[in-house]
Amino acid sequence: MIALLSKPKVSQAGRRTRMPFRHKLMLVLACEIVLVGFNQAGRNPHHVGILIEVPDQAHHVVT
């Protein structure tokens, strides 16, 4: 928690340090995964639930 609230590292010139290339790459890949997931969810909706069938006979009721 302390690391999140602390100020970003500042170089000697008074500017923030640059984000490493691998962090930029991970950020781009994470965004791509989210966007691909939204696209697939829109095309193939998967509704999770429990299917309950109505019994044919009145005395065969699941309680």
Side-chain angles (χ1 to χ4, degrees):
M1 189 71 172
I2 295 171
L4 294 175
L5 299 175
S6 64
K7 293 182 181 179
K9 292 183 180 179
V10 179
S11 66
Q12 294 175 353
R15 296 182 294 167
R16 291 183 182 183
T17 57
R18 294 184 60 184
M19 184 185 298
F21 177 73
R22 65 179 181 219
H23 291 177
K24 291 178 185 178
L25 183 62
M26 286 188 285
L27 185 60
V28 169
L29 290 174
C31 291
E32 181 181 358
I33 289 170
V34 169
L35 291 175
V36 169
F38 276 124
N39 279 338
Q40 288 181 351
R43 282 187 269 139
N44 302 324
H46 180 71
H47 303 289
V48 178
I50 300 172
L51 178 63
I52 299 175
E53 297 179 359
V54 179
D56 292 336
Q57 299 175 357
H59 61 278
H60 289 168
V61 178
V62 177
T63 57

